[in-house]
Amino acid sequence: MISESRSELDRFLGLEVYGTSTQGVGGIIRKRLEDFIVEEIPLHGGSSGNLLLLVVEKRGIDTLTAAVRLAEKLKIPLRHVGFAGLKDTRSISRQRFTVKAPEDINISALSDRNMKIVAAYRSKKHLRPGMLLGNSFSITIREMSLPLNEVKVILEETLLQMEELGGVPNFYGYQRFGINRPNTHIIGKLLIQGDYEKAVMELLASPYPNEPQSHREARAFLAGSMDFKKALKKFPKSLIFERLIIKWLIKKPGDYVGSLKALPKYVLTLYVDAYLSYIFNKALSERLRKVKSLKVVLEGDIIAKSDAYGNPLRPTFIAKGDFKEVKSDELILAFVPASSITRVKGYMNELILSLFKKDGLEPPFKNLEEIGLQGRLGLIRQITFKPLNLTYRVIEDEKALNLSFVLPKSSYATMFLREVMKPEDPIASGF
């Protein structure tokens, strides 16, 4: 059932294979914002506390932009805005933010044309990444070239192959690396290598073809001139983090480490994690080629029980033998180290270390200490997920296909859609 991807972008991001061999239904997602709707499924919490928990409906903006806007409106540091997960920019999404705000705050004043406060509660704890159960989706695929009866046949066969495989390969999706600038893993690798100047210049001055023209022009100017003062005038205000770095370098020329530390810590973590995510994708691709199943347990695999949404629970245990199938209420996880080392023997550990070695790297990554990320142990991630409550309907008069489903946290709807659609050009297909 495993098939190779023909997409250049896929291979650049480590998404080298599909878990299914069907033709794919093709088509485009996100023709309209309403075609991609996502809503967080929150953890159960209380109704008291000194923090404000906001349920925000975002239209066409990313989570970090929404967090920055809330910080500006409330006149609080960005670090005092908490959220549980990153949501797609090109979507209508409902997610939760926690902020420090007085009880008499005018909630309606926090809304604008891209984000609407739909509810507010009190909370005792700031939200942190991962503090949710999952996400529910309603996604519409349009402009499929196949007849709708063929679309239904292909979809059913794809779902059947996924079931036989053991679920959807839990790759990190395109959003993890940047849609218009798929280079977060490149920046992360440079940070791990300790090449801070090159990391900064990749972040600031490497134009990518799918960026807005104003962004490309500003980056190209800086790359050619290295004039940070003049570049600041050219960089659009929407490039918040780039402008933070440039302002620092205007004040302290050549202080690339300081300029990176001027960024919120979670932004640096996103870059480092993107590189670890790329290594995970490469390793999962190779595992699929070798084993051709996501059910088969290999020696050294991390095994965990799953909750009702498909999230791993603690405690975990290490598999001692090969070639048995995981139980229906269990998950297989893989660990990608950063500021730690692992002594676990087994296929995935050895494969991941060999991928690092090809890049001239070996954990623990001591250079992360210089930019304040010494506590980043690494990533642990399940190798598969299963869409829950999946329903679909063909919209005859619009020649479209709508899919509704629930996913566990830390999984990407686009990786499920990738198996269904098999896009040769993911960006042109709306991914």
Side-chain angles (χ1 to χ4, degrees):
M1 292 187 292
I2 309 305
S3 56
E4 297 286 327
S5 173
R6 295 191 297 272
S7 162
E8 184 178 339
L9 178 61
D10 278 10
R11 303 189 74 81
F12 183 60
L13 302 178
L15 303 163
E16 298 173 359
V17 301
Y18 296 106
T20 56
S21 59
T22 51
Q23 171 186 347
V25 302
I28 297 175
I29 56 175
R30 306 187 217 257
K31 286 292 288 184
R32 313 165 189 168
L33 281 182
E34 291 78 10
D35 287 347
F36 202 107
I37 300 173
V38 54
E39 181 167 2
E40 280 183 348
I41 302 170
L43 296 171
H44 301 295
S47 58
S48 62
N50 62 352
L51 297 172
L52 191 62
L53 189 151
L54 302 170
V55 182
V56 180
E57 182 176 283
K58 303 189 293 78
R59 300 179 67 93
I61 60 171
D62 62 68
T63 299
L64 296 181
T65 299
V68 168
R69 289 191 187 180
L70 288 172
E72 289 174 346
K73 290 171 185 285
L74 292 165
K75 296 180 171 58
I76 60 174
L78 184 56
R79 67 179 181 275
H80 290 166
V81 181
F83 50 86
L86 299 175
K87 297 293 177 287
D88 296 83
T89 302
R90 295 166 298 157
S91 69
I92 298 174
S93 60
R94 282 195 177 189
Q95 71 175 116
R96 287 147 180 80
F97 294 84
T98 49
V99 295
K100 286 187 176 181
E103 291 195 14
D104 61 350
I105 185 73
N106 179 6
I107 301 295
S108 62
L110 301 177
S111 296
D112 59 34
R113 65 187 181 88
N114 295 114
M115 62 182 198
K116 177 183 177 183
I117 312 300
V118 296
Y121 308 94
R122 304 307 299 186
S123 175
K124 292 180 180 178
K125 291 184 178 180
H126 257 310
L127 287 172
R128 294 287 180 263
M131 292 176 64
L132 72 165
L133 292 171
N135 296 282
S136 63
F137 295 88
S138 175
I139 298 172
T140 301
I141 305 171
R142 301 185 186 276
E143 298 188 14
M144 297 172 290
S145 59
L146 298 171
L148 290 179
N149 62 329
E150 286 188 36
V151 166
K152 290 172 69 175
V153 170
I154 292 170
L155 174 61
E156 290 287 357
E157 175 60 24
T158 304
L159 295 175
L160 179 62
Q161 288 191 20
M162 286 181 190
E163 183 65 27
E164 292 173 354
L165 184 71
V168 182
N170 195 25
F171 289 120
Y172 285 93
Y174 308 104
Q175 305 94 307
R176 188 69 190 79
F177 306 97
I179 299 296
N180 294 325
R181 300 188 77 227
N183 68 340
T184 55
H185 63 305
I186 296 172
I187 297 167
K189 178 183 173 182
L190 292 168
L191 293 176
I192 290 169
Q193 290 173 327
D195 195 340
Y196 306 117
E197 179 179 356
K198 197 169 181 180
V200 166
M201 295 313 295
E202 175 65 30
L203 198 163
L204 295 178
S206 290
Y208 281 72
N210 291 299
E211 288 186 273
Q213 184 176 346
S214 61
H215 296 197
R216 296 197 309 272
E217 289 175 352
R219 297 186 198 283
F221 172 82
L222 179 57
S225 70
M226 292 300 288
D227 188 328
F228 290 94
K229 283 186 179 179
K230 288 184 179 178
L232 184 61
K233 296 177 182 178
K234 295 180 177 291
F235 270 70
K237 290 187 177 179
S238 59
L239 297 176
I240 298 163
F241 300 124
E242 285 90 337
R243 289 175 62 86
L244 276 175
I245 290 177
I246 291 171
K247 287 176 182 178
W248 184 278
L249 291 172
I250 291 171
K251 291 179 183 177
K252 298 185 178 182
D255 183 13
Y256 294 102
V257 171
S259 73
L260 288 164
K261 292 173 76 172
L263 295 174
K265 190 173 180 178
Y266 67 78
V267 175
L268 292 178
T269 302
L270 284 174
Y271 290 129
V272 171
D273 283 359
Y275 175 68
L276 303 182
S277 302
Y278 165 76
I279 293 295
F280 176 90
N281 282 357
K282 294 273 289 184
L284 183 54
S285 293
E286 193 55 41
R287 181 181 178 127
L288 281 163
R289 289 191 187 103
K290 173 185 169 68
V291 184
K292 297 179 174 54
S293 172
L294 294 172
K295 298 178 182 177
V296 173
V297 177
L298 302 179
E299 183 177 5
D301 281 346
I302 304 166
I303 308 297
K305 294 283 187 182
S306 68
D307 69 12
Y309 289 88
N311 298 302
L313 299 170
R314 293 184 179 182
T316 61
F317 67 92
I318 306 298
K320 301 299 183 184
D322 282 2
F323 305 115
K324 60 181 180 181
E325 285 201 354
V326 72
K327 296 177 183 176
S328 60
D329 63 343
E330 291 178 338
L331 297 167
I332 301 171
L333 298 92
F335 176 63
V336 184
S339 297
S340 62
I341 56 174
T342 174
R343 294 179 175 83
V344 174
K345 302 293 184 183
Y347 174 76
M348 284 299 280
N349 180 55
E350 292 169 11
L351 175 57
I352 287 166
L353 292 179
S354 73
L355 291 169
F356 281 138
K357 190 174 181 179
K358 285 181 181 178
D359 281 346
L361 296 169
E362 183 177 354
F365 302 133
K366 296 294 186 181
N367 288 322
L368 295 180
E369 296 178 12
E370 196 169 355
I371 55 173
L373 297 182
Q374 60 269 24
R376 192 60 182 156
L377 299 178
L379 298 177
I380 186 166
R381 184 173 180 82
Q382 63 212 59
I383 67 171
T384 182
F385 67 87
K386 294 181 180 180
L388 303 175
N389 304 331
L390 174 63
T391 60
Y392 72 88
R393 61 188 177 92
V394 170
I395 309 171
E396 298 278 355
D397 57 336
E398 298 182 32
K399 295 184 178 179
L401 174 68
N402 176 265
L403 296 149
S404 295
F405 51 91
V406 172
L407 296 184
K409 63 184 179 181
S410 300
S411 55
Y412 290 80
T414 49
M415 292 299 95
F416 170 50
L417 295 170
R418 174 179 176 267
E419 296 284 347
V420 171
M421 296 168 65
K422 302 288 194 308
E424 288 194 29
D425 185 343
I427 292 176
S429 298
F431 281 78

